[in-house]
Amino acid sequence: MAKAQKKTTKKAAKKAPAKRRTTKRKTTAKKTVKKTTKKAVRKPLQPQIPKKIALTWQGALRLVNDRVVKLNTPRGHGTGFHIGNFGTNDNLCAIATAYHVVDGVHEWGEPIKVVHEATGEEILLKEKDRAVFTYPKKDLAVMLFVKPKKFNLPKTQIELIPSGSYLVPGVDVAWCGYPGLMSGQLCFFHGFISCHISGDYLIDGVAINGVSGGPVFYIDANSNRPKIAGVITAYIPNRRSSGDSLPGVSMITSIAPCEDTIKSLRSLGEAKKEAAEQKKDEDKTKDTKGE
């Protein structure tokens, strides 16, 4: 009997460790399950971020703003904008505006003050300090002068709408300038292309006095940057037979006519000579038509 008890005891002793190992495995398995559950709960959700965020009109205006200037003359004021630096070592600064802003002033040799409101800097240009290319039929003018060191205009230019391309009706456009109602503030306007007319456009928006000559721009979807469509030149009210007016449309003039001429110029002297030759040709054309 004693031997049988001893064998039984030995067998029980041998089985005991096996039970402990099984218990440990179960415990480990439970702990693993708990850890996995905790990780799944705490994992944050990652929001879907677009690869390319579309430029807003506020952002586009900020990029255009530094290039807009106010043109003060003895006859009033208008708006202009920097279309780039040209000539040898980029020493010529080119400002586009509406022809009627500088027409009488330039003809009579009166001074034009260019005010860069973004920096508070200004420069007074006398007749000898500038060359002005005029396109009366388009109501377009481009003024060139030697870039002063203190005039802090951007070195890079905003791209113009590609030559040979045009905006179709329905495209969003915006323009800005210094209206007579608030001449010290650059004001923003927005509208849509109504129609395309031989490189120029009609848009469903207002052009208040003083805004003439301001840049008209659109947001290019491919580059996600603003591009210049032209110059705001006129507002055409919808006049009724009774004499009162209803809301009308504004005119955008393309800068394309002057692009090639300006890019080929090297100095202010050359620009003045070229502008004078162009003016003679315009006068001859007028005389011929008058006959």
Side-chain angles (χ1 to χ4, degrees):
M1 289 295 291
K3 284 183 181 180
Q5 285 177 356
K6 282 181 182 180
K7 284 182 182 180
T8 306
T9 306
K10 283 180 182 180
K11 285 180 182 180
K14 285 180 182 179
K15 288 180 182 179
K19 286 182 181 179
R20 282 197 295 270
R21 279 199 290 273
T22 305
T23 307
K24 282 184 180 179
R25 282 175 191 166
K26 286 181 181 178
T27 306
T28 306
K30 285 180 182 179
K31 284 183 180 178
T32 305
V33 172
K34 284 182 180 179
K35 285 182 180 179
T36 306
T37 307
K38 286 180 181 178
K39 283 183 180 179
V41 171
R42 292 177 182 176
K43 187 178 179 181
L45 295 173
Q46 296 296 333
Q48 295 280 335
I49 301 174
K51 293 180 180 179
K52 192 176 182 182
I53 300 174
L55 183 68
T56 62
W57 282 117
Q58 294 95 323
L61 180 62
R62 279 196 296 271
L63 294 172
V64 173
N65 178 44
D66 291 343
R67 294 163 171 80
V68 184
V69 296
K70 183 164 66 173
L71 302 177
N72 287 333
T73 74
R75 300 164 187 256
H77 86 272
T79 304
F81 63 98
H82 179 237
I83 58 174
N85 298 318
F86 305 92
T88 306
N89 299 321
D90 291 338
N91 66 327
L92 286 179
C93 181
I95 300 291
T97 187
Y99 170 70
H100 69 265
V101 172
V102 297
D103 176 22
V105 177
H106 184 61
E107 287 290 325
W108 288 94
E110 296 173 348
I112 299 174
K113 183 181 284 186
V114 183
V115 182
H116 190 223
E117 292 282 2
T119 58
E121 297 166 351
E122 58 184 49
I123 179 174
L124 184 66
L125 298 175
K126 296 181 180 178
E127 187 180 19
K128 65 181 178 62
D129 302 323
R130 68 195 187 225
V132 180
F133 290 84
T134 57
Y135 306 85
K137 292 180 181 179
K138 291 281 190 179
D139 197 8
L140 172 69
V142 177
M143 181 170 61
L144 289 94
F145 54 92
V146 176
K147 184 177 61 175
K149 292 180 180 178
K150 68 173 185 176
F151 220 55
N152 190 25
L153 288 170
K155 293 180 180 179
T156 57
Q157 68 181 92
I158 291 182
E159 289 184 46
L160 303 179
I161 186 171
S163 180
S165 301
Y166 64 91
L167 302 177
V168 297
V171 172
D172 289 75
V173 290
W175 57 101
C176 56
Y178 295 96
L181 297 172
M182 192 65 67
S183 62
Q185 295 290 328
L186 182 67
C187 295
F188 173 86
F189 303 88
H190 174 265
F192 299 90
I193 297 290
S194 295
C195 70
H196 170 250
I197 313 168
S198 303
D200 300 330
Y201 306 91
L202 290 181
I203 52 176
D204 66 335
V206 296
I208 302 173
N209 182 37
V211 176
S212 292
V216 181
F217 51 99
Y218 66 100
I219 299 174
D220 180 57
N222 294 322
S223 63
N224 203 32
R225 303 279 291 180
K227 285 189 178 182
I228 301 296
V231 178
I232 193 83
T233 54
Y235 179 65
I236 308 169
N238 180 16
R239 299 193 184 281
R240 299 198 298 184
S241 56
S242 58
D244 57 343
S245 297
L246 295 174
V249 292
S250 293
M251 176 72 75
I252 302 176
T253 299
S254 170
I255 307 174
C258 64
E259 278 187 80
D260 294 335
T261 303
I262 291 174
K263 287 178 181 177
S264 64
L265 299 172
R266 292 171 293 178
S267 65
L268 180 61
E270 190 176 322
K272 289 170 76 71
K273 185 178 178 180
E274 186 68 30
E277 289 294 328
Q278 182 179 294
K279 183 69 169 60
K280 284 181 183 178
D281 292 339
E282 286 175 7
D283 292 339
K284 284 180 183 178
T285 304
K286 285 181 184 178
D287 294 337
T288 304
K289 285 186 176 180
E291 292 173 1

